[in-house]
Structures are given as C-alpha cells and as structure tokens.
Amino acid sequence: MKRIVLPILIFASSIQVFAQNSASDLTFKFSGFVRGDIIYNTRENVAALEDLFYLYPKDEKKDALGEDLNSRSALGFYNLSTRAALDIAGVKLFDAAVSAKMEADFAGAGGSGGTSAVLRLRLAYINFAWDKSTLLIGQNWHPMFQNIQPGQITLSTGAPFQPFNRSPQLAYKYKIKDFNLRAATIFQLQNKSTGPSGKSNIYAKNATLPELNFIAEYKNKSINTGVGVNFLSLKPRTESSFNGSSYKVDEYIRSLSYLAFFQYTEDMLSVGVKSIYGQNNTNLNMLGGYGIKSINSVTGECKYTNFNYSTSWFNIAYGKKYKGNLMFGYTKNLGTEDALVEGSSLYGEGLSVDNMHRVAFNFTYNVPHFTVGLEYEFMNVFYGNAGTLNWKDGKYSSTHSVEDHRITGVIRYIF
C-alpha cells in the first residue's frame, strides 16, 4: 500500500507546486541595443572579433630590411556587438521567485575571415531568489568580472587588466545586511584555458573538477568592496609521446588567484580600483600561463609550474548626461614558482611580456535610449628581448617596448 500511496502523494504535491504558476503569470521584458563601433589603431594588435575585442599591441616583427611589419595603422567599422536580451519572470517555486535571462549578439566567430555577424550566446541562466539568498544556474559573467568594472566603452571592458569571461556556472549568494557571501563552481565553454593543444576546454574537463570561486563583499548605497579567491585545476595531457613510445600520464596544473576591489559612488562621481595576484588566468582574457618544471625520464610525464602576475586598474568617472571617464591599468610578470626546464614549452597568453600599462579616456553623451561616445587609449608593452628569459625564475633580464594609440567611436540606440 505504501508503495502506491507515496508516489501518488509526490505527484499530487508536484501538481500543487506547478499549479501555482500559469502562462498568464509570466512577464516578459525584451531589451538590447543597436551599436556601431568605428576603430582606429596605429599598430597591429592581439585582438579578437576583428579589432572589437582589444587586448594589447603585438611585439616587433622585423622584415629583411629591419622594418617592423606590425607597425601599421588600421581603420574599421563594425555593428557586430548589436545585442538583444529577454528577461522572464513570474514563476514561484520552492518558496523562491524564479526568473530567467537569455542574451545574444552577433559577434560569434564564423566565415573565412573569422567573423561574419554570427549569432552568439552571451547569457542563459535561471535564477532562484529567496529573501536572503539566490542560486543562479546557467551561463553568466564570471564572478571575477561581476563585482566592479572600469568604465571603458570598448567591447573588451578593460581586458586584459580586467577579467572578462562568461561561463556556465552554479553560483550561490547569501546576504547578511550589507554583506554578501558568494560561492560558485564554474565550467569552461566559450572562454578557454591554454595548453599543449592550444586554447581548449578539454584541460578543464579532463581535470574533472570545476573552477571554484569564493568572494566576500560589503555593499551599501555608496561603497562596494570585497576580497576573493579563485581556484583552477587543469590536466594538460592524458598521454605522452616520448622516445618513440606512447604512455598514459597523469598531469595537473593547479592555480590560485586572489582578488581585492573597492568602488565609491556618490551622485555623479564614481571611483574604483581592482587588484589581482593571479596564476594562469588565460580563460579570463588576462596574461598568464605555466611551464614545465620537470620531465619523467621514462614516460615523458611532466610536472608544471605557474607564472605569477600582478594586475591592477584604477578608474574615475564623473557625470551623467555628459560623462568623462579615466582609466589606468598595469600588469607585471612576477615570474614562476619553480625553475623551468630550459628550452621547454610554455603555455599561456602574453608570456613574452614583462609588463604593460594602459591609459584610456572617454567622453560620452547619454540621454534616454541613446549614447554616443569617443575614447582614446594609449598602450605601452615591454616585451622580453630574445634569449634573455631566465629559466630559473621565468623573468626577462632585458626588454624593449612597443606602443599603440587607439581611438574608438561608439553609437548606441538602446531599447
């Protein structure tokens, strides 16, 4: 009898829960913008989506006469970041208000030129909201991005000084008055780590442990400040080809990053700063990576060591209808935890960079449903000279610099 009654009770309970919600309870909000970007650079850059997602200028590349092939200007105009979003609300479940969001733009990779206005998923998540807590399930901004961002109007929003990443995740937030405690497990999909096979999410999948993030935050009307830690585990290879034979290997590289941020906002003034001591944050579109510290003489199995990077930015903005914004960013290679195997492979982004800095200023005109802005950026990158890498600590003994001047004009019709 119990075997019959229990399923009936569960089914009846489910009907009662879902009967509380009907199609007429749902609310839909459609939003987005039509955007155009016109971009001028004085140098070839490390960038994606044509030149829309800008990181930093490329190193010198000399021709037979000693001329720098990367020292050339370029001008382009793009509408790829035009965006649409749908917010859905109205469901009550498990004593929570349940909402969902979908967002897409046209900046997906495709076509022979790498970009041809392909629809791209940006956000897709379900959010459960209780009185003091929330649980988000789906693709959203990485927690290292969410807290505060610099006020650049370019699509990269301050990268590589600012973490930039959207990933599938389970993110939980608990609120105690003005304090928020956040914990998230994050999986790689569109933003990937780098390894022996290039950029791929296979290293994170094979590690069978999601990225873990914890943030403690204080937030009131004027102040938003907090600290956090991020843990990433990767498995670079599952097999090796060594001395003419193949071997099963069990390799891992585990990385930690620490975050601190502060923002003050009052009327038309906003001041913010973020600092990260980070390891292997290539999936966040930042500099970093790892190298080999030892190789097994029989199987070729490798052990790895992280490069350490210090990255900070400062941003100040003033105004509403007429708004000015000034941003400074700085990144420094602090070297490796252990000595590298001399002449071995390095895996990461910008590992030939010793340090870099950016100064960016923009001015925007903002009225309801419409924004137009102009931004100037100066980037100066110090690359390590060839043959000057110290394999004992991962630092360069001598450098040379390259620079880029970038001007971006943006127009947006917001709906």
Side-chain angles (χ1 to χ4, degrees), residues 95-116:
D95 296 323
V98 186
S99 59
K101 187 179 185 72
M102 297 181 291
E103 184 177 271
D105 64 15
F106 295 92
S112 59
T115 305
S116 58

Side-chain angles (χ1 to χ4, degrees), residues 39-45 51 68-76 404-405:
I39 300 167
Y40 171 79
N41 283 296
T42 61
R43 185 172 186 83
E44 180 76 10
N45 296 294
D51 265 341
D68 184 2
L69 296 174
N70 286 331
S71 179
R72 61 174 183 81
S73 57
L75 176 67
D404 178 44
H405 301 267

Side-chain angles (χ1 to χ4, degrees), residues 134-276:
T134 62
L135 174 64
L136 182 144
I137 304 172
Q139 179 158 303
N140 192 27
W141 288 101
H142 194 286
M144 299 275 278
F145 174 91
Q146 286 178 27
N147 29 72
I148 63 172
Q149 305 87 38
Q152 284 201 259
I153 62 175
T154 56
L155 192 66
S156 52
T157 324
F161 305 97
Q162 160 73 6
F164 189 103
N165 174 299
R166 293 181 296 269
S167 292
Q169 59 191 272
L170 282 78
Y172 180 76
K173 181 179 74 172
Y174 187 79
K175 184 177 178 63
I176 309 172
K177 294 184 178 180
D178 292 333
F179 291 90
N180 295 320
L181 300 177
R182 301 172 180 265
T185 58
I186 305 154
F187 301 81
Q188 293 192 9
L189 185 61
Q190 294 172 336
N191 295 111
K192 305 164 187 175
S193 293
T194 303
S197 300
K199 280 207 165 189
S200 174
N201 63 358
I202 193 66
Y203 317 118
K205 289 170 65 176
N206 287 341
T208 65
L209 178 66
E211 189 176 350
L212 303 175
N213 183 275
F214 303 93
I215 291 177
E217 176 187 49
Y218 173 82
K219 189 173 185 179
N220 62 24
K221 182 179 179 182
S222 300
I223 294 175
N224 181 11
T225 186
V227 294
V229 61
N230 199 77
F231 173 77
L232 176 66
S233 179
L234 303 177
K235 194 169 189 177
R237 298 187 304 170
T238 58
E239 61 180 86
S240 72
S241 297
F242 193 67
N243 293 332
S245 299
S246 296
Y247 299 91
K248 183 178 180 179
V249 296
D250 195 30
E251 301 179 345
Y252 288 92
I253 176 69
R254 296 181 173 94
S255 311
L256 279 170
S257 296
Y258 302 94
L259 164 74
F261 59 92
F262 174 85
Q263 185 176 51
Y264 174 80
T265 304
E266 189 68 36
D267 295 327
M268 294 194 293
L269 175 67
S270 176
V271 180
V273 60
K274 181 182 284 188
S275 187
I276 297 170

